[in-house]
Coordinates of all heavy atoms in Angstrom, one line a residue:
L9 N 15.6 5.0 -48.6 CA 14.5 5.6 -49.4 C 13.4 4.5 -49.9 O 13.9 3.4 -50.2 CB 14.9 6.3 -50.5 CG 15.6 7.7 -50.2 CD1 16.4 8.3 -51.4 CD2 14.4 8.7 -49.9
Q10 N 12.2 4.9 -49.8 CA 11.1 4.0 -50.2 C 10.3 4.7 -51.3 O 10.4 6.0 -51.4 CB 10.2 3.7 -49.0 CG 10.9 3.1 -47.8 CD 10.1 3.2 -46.4 OE1 8.9 3.6 -46.5 NE2 10.7 2.7 -45.4
P11 N 9.5 3.9 -52.1 CA 8.8 4.6 -53.0 C 7.9 5.7 -52.5 O 7.5 6.6 -53.3 CB 7.9 3.5 -53.6 CG 8.7 2.4 -53.5 CD 9.5 2.5 -52.2
E12 N 7.3 5.5 -51.3 CA 6.5 6.6 -50.7 C 7.1 7.8 -50.5 O 6.5 8.8 -50.2 CB 5.9 6.0 -49.3 CG 5.3 4.7 -49.4 CD 6.3 3.4 -49.2 OE1 6.6 3.2 -48.0 OE2 6.7 2.8 -50.1
D13 N 8.5 7.9 -50.6 CA 9.2 9.0 -50.4 C 9.3 10.0 -51.6 O 9.7 11.0 -51.7 CB 10.6 8.8 -50.0 CG 10.7 8.2 -48.6 OD1 10.0 8.6 -47.7 OD2 11.5 7.2 -48.4
T14 N 8.7 9.4 -52.8 CA 8.7 10.0 -54.1 C 7.9 11.4 -53.9 O 6.7 11.3 -53.5 CB 8.2 9.2 -55.2 OG1 9.1 8.1 -55.4 CG2 8.0 10.0 -56.5
A15 N 8.5 12.4 -54.4 CA 7.8 13.7 -54.1 C 8.6 14.9 -54.7 O 9.8 14.6 -54.9 CB 7.4 14.1 -52.8
V16 N 8.1 16.0 -54.7 CA 8.8 17.3 -55.0 C 9.2 17.8 -53.6 O 8.4 18.0 -52.7 CB 8.1 18.3 -55.8 CG1 9.0 19.6 -55.9 CG2 7.9 17.8 -57.2
Y17 N 10.6 18.1 -53.4 CA 10.9 18.5 -52.0 C 11.2 20.0 -52.2 O 12.0 20.5 -53.0 CB 12.2 17.7 -51.6 CG 11.9 16.3 -51.1 CD1 11.5 15.4 -52.0 CD2 12.0 16.0 -49.7 CE1 11.1 14.0 -51.5 CE2 11.7 14.7 -49.3 CZ 11.2 13.7 -50.2 OH 10.9 12.5 -49.7
Y18 N 10.9 20.7 -51.2 CA 11.0 22.0 -51.0 C 11.8 22.5 -49.7 O 11.3 22.1 -48.6 CB 9.6 22.8 -51.1 CG 8.8 22.7 -52.3 CD1 8.0 21.7 -52.4 CD2 9.1 23.5 -53.5 CE1 7.2 21.4 -53.6 CE2 8.4 23.3 -54.5 CZ 7.3 22.3 -54.6 OH 6.6 22.0 -55.8
C19 N 12.7 23.3 -49.8 CA 13.3 23.9 -48.6 C 12.6 25.2 -48.2 O 12.1 25.9 -49.1 CB 14.9 24.0 -48.7 SG 15.5 25.3 -49.9
N20 N 12.7 25.5 -46.9 CA 12.1 26.7 -46.4 C 12.9 27.3 -45.3 O 13.6 26.6 -44.6 CB 10.7 26.3 -45.8 CG 10.0 27.6 -45.1 OD1 10.2 27.6 -43.9 ND2 9.4 28.4 -45.9
A21 N 12.9 28.5 -45.2 CA 13.6 29.4 -44.3 C 12.8 30.3 -43.6 O 12.1 31.1 -44.4 CB 15.0 30.1 -44.7
E22 N 12.7 30.5 -42.4 CA 11.9 31.4 -41.7 C 12.6 32.3 -40.7 O 13.4 31.6 -39.8 CB 10.6 30.8 -41.0 CG 9.7 31.7 -40.4 CD 8.3 31.2 -40.1 OE1 7.6 30.8 -41.1 OE2 8.0 31.1 -38.9
R23 N 12.5 33.4 -40.7 CA 13.2 34.4 -39.7 C 12.1 35.1 -39.0 O 11.2 35.5 -39.5 CB 14.0 35.5 -40.6 CG 14.9 36.3 -39.7 CD 15.5 37.3 -40.7 NE 14.8 38.1 -41.4 CZ 14.8 38.3 -42.8 NH1 15.9 37.8 -43.4 NH2 13.9 39.2 -43.4
K24 N 12.4 35.1 -37.6 CA 11.3 35.7 -36.7 C 11.6 37.2 -36.5 O 10.6 37.9 -36.4 CB 11.6 35.1 -35.4 CG 11.0 33.5 -35.2 CD 9.6 33.4 -35.5 CE 9.1 32.1 -35.4 NZ 9.6 31.1 -36.4
F25 N 12.8 37.6 -36.5 CA 13.0 39.2 -36.3 C 14.1 39.7 -37.1 O 15.3 39.5 -37.0 CB 13.5 39.3 -34.7 CG 12.6 38.9 -33.7 CD1 12.8 37.5 -33.1 CD2 11.4 39.4 -33.4 CE1 12.0 37.1 -32.1 CE2 10.5 39.0 -32.4 CZ 10.8 37.7 -31.8
P26 N 13.6 40.5 -38.1 CA 12.2 40.7 -38.6 C 11.7 39.6 -39.2 O 12.5 38.6 -39.7 CB 12.3 41.9 -39.4 CG 13.7 41.8 -40.1 CD 14.6 41.2 -39.1
W27 N 10.4 39.4 -39.2 CA 9.8 38.1 -39.8 C 10.0 38.1 -41.3 O 9.9 39.2 -42.0 CB 8.2 38.2 -39.5 CG 7.6 36.8 -40.0 CD1 7.5 35.7 -39.2 CD2 7.0 36.6 -41.3 NE1 6.9 34.8 -40.1 CE2 6.6 35.2 -41.4 CE3 7.0 37.4 -42.4 CZ2 5.9 34.7 -42.3 CZ3 6.4 36.7 -43.5 CH2 6.0 35.4 -43.6
G28 N 10.4 36.9 -41.8 CA 10.5 36.6 -43.2 C 10.4 35.1 -43.5 O 10.7 34.3 -42.7
N29 N 9.9 34.8 -44.6 CA 9.7 33.4 -45.1 C 10.0 33.2 -46.5 O 9.5 34.0 -47.3 CB 8.2 33.0 -44.7 CG 8.0 31.5 -44.9 OD1 7.7 31.1 -46.0 ND2 8.1 30.8 -43.8
Y30 N 10.8 32.2 -46.8 CA 11.5 32.0 -48.1 C 11.5 30.5 -48.4 O 11.5 29.7 -47.6 CB 12.9 32.4 -48.0 CG 13.0 33.9 -47.6 CD1 13.4 34.1 -46.2 CD2 12.9 35.1 -48.3 CE1 13.6 35.3 -45.7 CE2 13.0 36.3 -47.9 CZ 13.4 36.4 -46.5 OH 13.4 37.7 -46.0
W31 N 11.2 30.3 -49.8 CA 11.1 28.8 -50.3 C 12.0 28.8 -51.4 O 12.3 29.6 -52.3 CB 9.6 28.8 -50.9 CG 8.6 28.7 -49.8 CD1 7.8 29.7 -49.3 CD2 8.3 27.6 -49.1 NE1 7.0 29.2 -48.2 CE2 7.2 27.9 -48.2 CE3 8.5 26.2 -49.1 CZ2 6.5 27.0 -47.3 CZ3 7.9 25.2 -48.2 CH2 7.0 25.7 -47.4
G32 N 12.5 27.5 -51.5 CA 13.2 27.1 -52.6 C 12.4 26.7 -53.8 O 11.2 26.8 -53.7
Q33 N 13.2 26.3 -54.9 CA 12.3 26.2 -56.3 C 11.7 24.8 -56.4 O 10.9 24.5 -57.2 CB 13.3 26.4 -57.5 CG 14.2 25.2 -57.8 CD 15.5 25.2 -56.9 OE1 15.6 25.8 -56.0 NE2 16.4 24.3 -57.3
G34 N 12.1 23.9 -55.4 CA 11.7 22.5 -55.5 C 12.6 21.5 -56.3 O 13.2 22.0 -57.3
T35 N 12.8 20.4 -55.7 CA 13.7 19.4 -56.4 C 13.0 18.1 -56.4 O 12.6 17.6 -55.3 CB 15.2 19.4 -55.9 OG1 16.0 18.5 -56.7 CG2 15.0 18.8 -54.4

C-alpha cells in the first residue's frame, strides 16, 4: 500500500437479469 491508495473504498454488485445495482456503505 502507498499513500496514494488513501481513499474511501466502496464495494458494488451488479446483476444483469433482472438488472440491479447495489453499493456498500464505504470503508
